[in-house]
């Protein structure tokens, strides 16, 4: 399962890199599934790596698209539906590399290299921080979370 509220399970001690005023982290595909991964205070943790694997699994047909619904907007879901048939394979894709940059406080850009069967593909996703929602009668509250607003593949 993926973590909807930001940092989640992943490789502990990953340090962000600073480049041209942007915070970026290189995240290897191998994951350490202990909670609280990621650099202290980076606000991102291993969320990009987790999201990348779930996205690749969904595009390959190894996971139902409905699992991404809480973390995508309609535009991203429509693009995932169009890309899915082009990337579908009979086995789970293997994420090789994830590169995340944070060009603005509430924006993550994620670049992914993944194997889909015998082909290696590049994926890109833009995630934006969706604000917290207070509880209302009949509707539970929600903490701030990352929401995928765009997906591309090459």
């Amino acid at each position: 399962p993926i973590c909807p509220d930001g940092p989640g399970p992943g490789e502990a001690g990953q340090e962000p890199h600073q480049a041209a005023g942007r915070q970026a982290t290189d995240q290897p595909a191998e994951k350490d599934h202990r909670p609280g991964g990621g650099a202290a205070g980076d606000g991102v943790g291993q969320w990009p790596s987790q999201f990348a694997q779930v996205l690749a699994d969904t595009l390959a047909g190894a996971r139902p698209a409905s699992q991404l619904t809480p973390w995508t907007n309609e535009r991203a879901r429509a693009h995932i539906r169009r890309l899915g048939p082009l990337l579908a394979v009979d086995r789970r894709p293997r994420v090789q590399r994830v590169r995340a940059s944070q060009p603005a406080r509430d924006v993550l850009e994620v670049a992914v290299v993944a194997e889909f069967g015998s082909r290696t593909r590049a994926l890109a996703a833009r995630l934006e921080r969706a604000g917290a929602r207070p509880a209302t009668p009949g509707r539970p509250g929600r903490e701030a979370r990352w929401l995928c607003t765009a997906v591309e593949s090459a």
Side-chain angles (χ1 to χ4, degrees):
I2 59 178
C3 177
D5 300 321
E11 187 167 301
Q14 188 77 38
E15 290 298 322
H17 304 283
Q18 294 292 329
R22 294 180 177 194
Q23 181 178 13
T25 58
D26 252 344
Q27 298 177 356
E30 296 79 26
K31 298 174 188 71
D32 174 354
H33 295 284
R34 292 174 291 182
D42 69 0
V44 175
Q46 293 299 305
W47 171 238
S49 288
Q50 289 183 300
F51 185 81
Q53 186 64 60
V54 173
L55 177 62
D57 288 349
T58 301
L59 291 170
R63 228 182 246 264
S66 61
Q67 287 189 2
L68 277 177
T69 299
W71 300 279
T72 53
N73 67 7
E74 184 52 44
R75 178 177 174 232
R77 287 191 296 272
H79 205 108
I80 289 166
R81 285 191 298 272
R82 284 191 299 270
L83 288 173
L86 303 173
L87 299 175
V89 292
D90 60 353
R91 64 178 186 244
R92 189 172 185 219
R94 184 172 149 304
V95 172
Q96 296 175 329
R97 184 175 182 114
V98 176
R99 173 87 175 157
S101 66
Q102 197 166 6
R105 181 172 180 255
D106 292 332
V107 175
L108 281 176
E109 293 173 347
V110 181
V112 181
V113 176
E115 288 179 12
F116 288 82
S118 62
R119 301 195 66 163
T120 299
R121 301 291 213 155
L123 303 174
R126 178 181 175 94
L127 296 110
E128 298 177 10
R129 180 70 100 170
R133 182 181 67 207
T136 58
R139 190 173 188 179
R142 180 187 69 211
E143 293 183 25
R145 64 192 172 120
W146 292 108
L147 183 68
C148 179
T149 59
V151 176
E152 297 293 334
S153 174

